[in-house]
Amino acid sequence: EENVYPLAYSGAWAIINRNVDNRMRKFSITNVLRTGSDHNTGRWKIVNWTKDFIEQHGLEQDAFVGEQGNGFSASDWDFKYMDLLYDSKIIVTSNPWKWEGDFRLWEGLSSGAMIMIDKMAILDWMPFPFEHKKHLIFYDSTNQTEFNELLEYYVRHEEEAREIGLSGYNNVLLHHMPEDRVSYILKKIESELVLQDRVDDARSAPSEEAKDDTMATVLAPNNAKQTASKLETSQLGWDSNKSVVMGMASGYSVNVYKQFVGSLRATGYGGHIILGISPDAPKDVLEYLASQSVTAKVVEKADVCTHNGTLGYVGGPLRVLNTEKWHCPRDYLDYKFLWARFALYKDWLLDCADCTDGIVLTDVRDAYFQRDPFATAKRLHMQHQLMLFEEIDQLDNTHWLTDFPVQHCRNRTVGPTRVLCSGSVMGSREGILEYLKEMKTEFEYWSDRPECRIDMGGDDQSIHNYLYYTGRLKNAVTIPHRTGPIHVVGWQAARIFERAEREAKEVGESNTIDFYMKKQQNSSKWHHWLPANDSLIDLETGLITNLDGEPSAQAHQVDRFGFLNLNWLNKMGEQGWPFNEVT
């Protein structure tokens, strides 16, 4: 028996309009359909409808119908053609004869113009479908009256057309790029394999003795790889009790540790937690960590490091280089602390003989847990050797945090690729050790060169992204934003906080502490620390959610919300994170 799944075309990074918000668009209506070959049969009608509309409304000077550049799409793009699309407010297109969704559609969507296209099925079958009057406009190719009414409405309502165009553009960037199609294919394959494993397991239904024999086979050194892989994926997974969460957590108050460790333990996670702490950690911190079975690793600061931060870069976007020296731990004098934590993670992991299964490397101060990350990875079938988590798609690696250090040190760029967060990494023991080895190799390159020893925060993320996008991280799988065990909320949280500041100022509020909760004037709704239309939290619990509506196992960069959730966090701490436990 064979299963057949739909697969649509996608956007392409080469043709994405990088100036979508600011570009002045010259043409109210554009139609670039060709009518000369067999697959264009039927498109002549839509071209003629468009021409008739333009003539009837006197828009000849504000419209373009015909070919531009070489007139071809889909490969070896002629940017005269793409510039025309970028200059268009509304693009009228049509599906080819006998198939749906050719590159004309995706080129148009990638331009940020509002797209009008005849009704089609394939987009409804893909994840994150395009909605009529939200992402684009669907028309009936047998009804010219409807076509004219739709086109006239959006020509007259330019702002609505612009919003629909941007919404379609963002849906492409978020969910319909080539890597999304690859992810879709792999998930379909994985789901079929998991389902087949379950069917096979149900059919065989081995006795307890047979199960023991099977386990012995898996653990034997010369067992068949196929058998081991199958059992490890479908039956064994990651045992949380043999997993570990590691982070550098030096110099914090006990409340930070209670938020991080307390929220994690409240999920039922009973595995290892290893945290780097300062030598002068207060007594209440040490007592709390001991009570939660946390392995505390004391990290001492060196008096003198091998290097200082490079000074005197002129003309760059940053002014943070004017510091006398960077700080390093005694164990790694060549590395500033930001880099050294990765070397220390490797040491700590090698010291932990019982940490054999899943590994999370994470920031501590700006993160809390809502579910066991390893149980969540198992539920989502995301138990990969190395998992890198995408940040929101409104942000890419042309941002200075990646672009500036990599340009300055490696004399190259990774371009407008998706940002992968270095503060949250997950994988198997073997995958994480390989990742840490590669990071350490690159740190050595940077530490040997004055132009790379930039005294700034965040360039571990620069290196992290550089390694992935230059193919140096073996077996790495990128997890789309808000779909995996770790949810990096930072960019969206910062925009929400900025909005709250504006709204507070408008009503004369002096601060934004619990701003949205207080607006409701109902203390029983303390879970509602964000408005419902942000679609970011479960209003019954206040937990931050993934796109599927389930609580994100870890929420990272939560400090970007400011104090919008202060009361909620306090109640979570007081009540022992009651919504974290899975019943």
Side-chain angles (χ1 to χ4, degrees), residues 39 43 93-97 99-102 117-120:
H39 73 270
R43 281 178 161 174
T93 189
S94 169
N95 285 293
W97 189 47
W99 81 84
E100 290 188 343
D102 69 342
I117 188 167
D118 52 324
K119 294 175 182 177
M120 54 194 299

Side-chain angles (χ1 to χ4, degrees), residues 29-47:
I29 304 170
T30 294
N31 186 321
V32 289
L33 293 173
R34 296 162 65 86
T35 58
S37 54
D38 290 343
H39 73 270
N40 290 318
T41 300
R43 281 178 161 174
W44 62 267
K45 178 173 65 174
I46 305 306
V47 171

Side-chain angles (χ1 to χ4, degrees), residues 54-101:
I54 291 168
E55 291 173 5
Q56 291 167 10
H57 291 78
L59 296 174
E60 289 88 350
Q61 301 304 311
D62 299 316
F64 184 98
V65 178
E67 298 178 13
Q68 176 73 310
N70 62 25
F72 289 96
S73 76
S75 60
D76 192 22
W77 283 281
D78 183 334
F79 274 86
K80 291 179 183 177
Y81 164 72
M82 291 309 304
D83 280 338
L84 172 64
L85 302 188
Y86 297 166
D87 277 336
S88 304
K89 297 174 185 177
I90 298 174
I91 296 174
V92 177
T93 189
S94 169
N95 285 293
W97 189 47
K98 293 188 176 180
W99 81 84
E100 290 188 343

Side-chain angles (χ1 to χ4, degrees), residues 212-460:
D212 291 340
D213 291 342
T214 302
M215 290 295 293
T217 301
V218 172
L219 297 175
N222 296 319
N223 61 307
K225 288 183 180 180
Q226 184 175 359
T227 304
S229 175
K230 176 181 174 182
L231 285 169
E232 287 166 0
T233 300
S234 64
Q235 293 179 14
L236 301 183
W238 286 339
D239 182 345
S240 291
N241 292 324
K242 297 177 182 179
S243 299
V244 61
V245 174
M246 293 197 290
M248 184 67 72
S250 181
Y252 300 140
S253 71
V254 70
N255 289 333
V256 173
Y257 297 100
K258 285 183 176 180
Q259 176 176 295
F260 183 85
V261 176
S263 65
L264 179 54
R265 289 300 190 206
T267 67
Y269 173 70
H272 302 272
I273 303 175
I274 301 176
L275 299 179
I277 65 170
S278 60
D280 58 351
K283 182 180 178 182
D284 61 345
V285 168
L286 297 175
E287 289 176 348
Y288 176 74
L289 295 179
S291 74
Q292 298 297 312
S293 301
V294 174
T295 301
K297 298 284 189 177
V298 174
V299 180
E300 296 189 66
K301 177 182 169 184
D303 295 327
V304 179
C305 303
T306 305
H307 307 291
N308 289 337
T310 300
L311 303 177
Y313 179 66
V314 178
L318 305 178
R319 305 303 301 171
V320 296
L321 305 183
N322 298 318
T323 55
E324 295 182 358
K325 58 185 262 186
W326 54 15
H327 303 292
C328 60
R330 286 188 178 180
D331 292 339
Y332 290 96
L333 299 179
D334 289 353
Y335 298 168
K336 59 181 176 180
F337 266 103
L338 195 68
W339 299 353
R341 61 178 175 157
F342 293 89
L344 291 167
Y345 291 157
K346 183 177 180 182
D347 295 341
W348 300 344
L349 184 52
L350 291 172
D351 286 344
C352 183
D354 294 331
C355 301
T356 58
D357 285 26
I359 316 293
V360 167
L361 312 178
T362 178
D363 293 343
V364 172
R365 179 189 56 80
D366 61 351
Y368 57 76
F369 292 86
Q370 304 177 136
R371 291 290 184 269
D372 178 337
F374 305 103
T376 299
K378 185 174 183 179
R379 177 179 67 82
L380 296 172
H381 306 296
M382 290 184 180
Q383 295 162 298
H384 306 292
Q385 289 190 45
L386 178 61
M387 294 190 286
L388 310 179
F389 295 90
E390 294 179 358
E391 299 197 24
I392 200 166
D393 300 325
Q394 281 86 339
L395 189 66
D396 67 30
N397 277 316
T398 59
H399 187 272
W400 61 263
L401 185 58
T402 300
D403 199 57
F404 165 69
V406 173
Q407 284 272 22
H408 202 45
C409 180
R410 283 294 195 170
N411 194 31
R412 62 164 295 165
T413 179
V414 297
T417 49
R418 299 193 181 189
V419 175
L420 307 172
C421 180
S422 64
S424 302
V425 181
M426 192 172 186
S428 67
R429 180 183 177 93
E430 296 75 15
I432 290 293
L433 285 172
E434 183 64 33
Y435 164 75
L436 294 172
K437 176 184 175 183
E438 201 63 44
M439 287 287 279
K440 192 168 182 288
T441 298
E442 190 65 13
F443 291 147
E444 289 169 359
Y445 178 95
W446 287 51
S447 66
D448 284 344
R449 291 161 174 79
E451 67 273 16
C452 302
R453 293 196 297 268
I454 305 169
D455 199 358
M456 61 172 280
D459 62 355
D460 59 316

Side-chain angles (χ1 to χ4, degrees), residues 462-481:
S462 317
I463 293 169
H464 174 85
N465 280 268
Y466 169 75
L467 291 177
Y468 175 74
Y469 287 111
T470 54
R472 298 255 305 272
L473 298 180
K474 297 177 182 177
N475 301 311
V477 174
T478 59
I479 306 301
H481 178 68

